[in-house]
Amino acid sequence: MINTIEVADQGHALVYTFEDLMRYHGPGSPGGVAHALKVMERMVPLLGSVDLPERREIEVRTAFAGPGARDAFEMVTRAVTEGRYVVDDGLARPERGMTHERFVFRVGYRGRSLTAVLREGYVGEEFIELARMSSRTEQQESRLTGLKQEMAQLLLAAPAAEVYDVEIPVQAG
């Protein structure tokens, strides 16, 4: 997989790799960075026109509050700094179960928005349980770090269309 996202800034093409996003975020949440990259890989081509989408016009709403995803979206879109990135608990889908309920991303561009929802097989229960613990032992912290790396590798090895389904809103009319 190439694992890049391309957007425009005032008409100039910008290309970001997973490695670029990790340098910005740091080592803490590679899985979250990989999720954001896959969401953008999946959504940006569907939202853009013939030209690359202007990064400063992309909006993101998500039920996922992880710092890796937030930082990846920020680097590519500047949405956090400019108030176009919102963590919205109302987007959570508890009916999808503990492992998938928060992996919902609504991405908007120039009045159009689509929603990406995570497919089965990319997040495990053990990861969610460890991530949600308020305090962890050293062994649990080590295991969580390993699970984050495994998740990132799994996500990066798959095409975005296999990781996230896209819901297109029904147009009234």
Side-chain angles (χ1 to χ4, degrees):
M1 294 293 101
I2 296 171
N3 294 310
T4 62
I5 185 67
E6 189 171 4
V7 293
D9 192 339
Q10 299 178 33
H12 297 278
L14 300 175
V15 179
Y16 297 96
T17 65
F18 176 73
E19 291 76 18
D20 294 331
L21 301 176
M22 285 300 297
R23 276 190 293 277
Y24 179 77
H25 170 67
S29 298
V33 171
H35 275 286
L37 178 62
K38 289 301 169 179
V39 168
M40 288 185 277
E41 283 180 6
R42 184 78 167 107
M43 303 288 271
V44 167
L46 298 174
L47 288 168
S49 57
V50 176
D51 300 322
L52 292 176
E54 283 289 329
R55 70 192 290 222
R56 293 177 185 268
E57 294 182 47
I58 296 171
E59 301 170 352
V60 181
R61 294 184 81 79
T62 181
F64 184 72
R70 178 202 60 222
D71 287 351
F73 281 114
E74 170 64 2
M75 184 172 190
V76 174
T77 69
R78 304 298 293 171
V80 176
T81 300
E82 296 176 0
R84 293 176 282 105
Y85 182 88
V86 176
V87 176
D88 181 352
D89 290 336
L91 290 176
R93 298 188 180 178
E95 71 276 7
R96 298 194 74 227
M98 176 177 82
T99 58
H100 290 79
E101 67 185 350
R102 297 218 164 257
F103 291 90
V104 180
F105 299 85
R106 184 167 296 145
V107 180
Y109 182 69
R110 294 186 175 171
R112 183 168 182 231
S113 69
L114 302 172
T115 302
V117 292
L118 181 65
R119 289 185 174 181
E120 293 289 328
Y122 294 96
V123 176
E125 285 184 30
E126 181 185 13
F127 169 78
I128 296 297
E129 288 171 5
L130 286 171
R132 289 184 178 174
M133 286 181 166
S134 58
S135 63
R136 291 180 281 278
T137 66
E138 191 174 307
Q139 182 180 10
Q140 289 170 325
E141 193 65 45
S142 177
R143 178 66 179 147
L144 180 58
T145 297
L147 290 171
K148 289 175 183 181
Q149 287 293 337
E150 289 173 18
M151 183 189 327
Q153 292 169 0
L154 179 65
L155 291 164
L156 295 173
E162 290 180 12
V163 178
Y164 277 92
D165 284 320
V166 174
E167 298 174 351
I168 301 171
V170 177
Q171 301 294 324

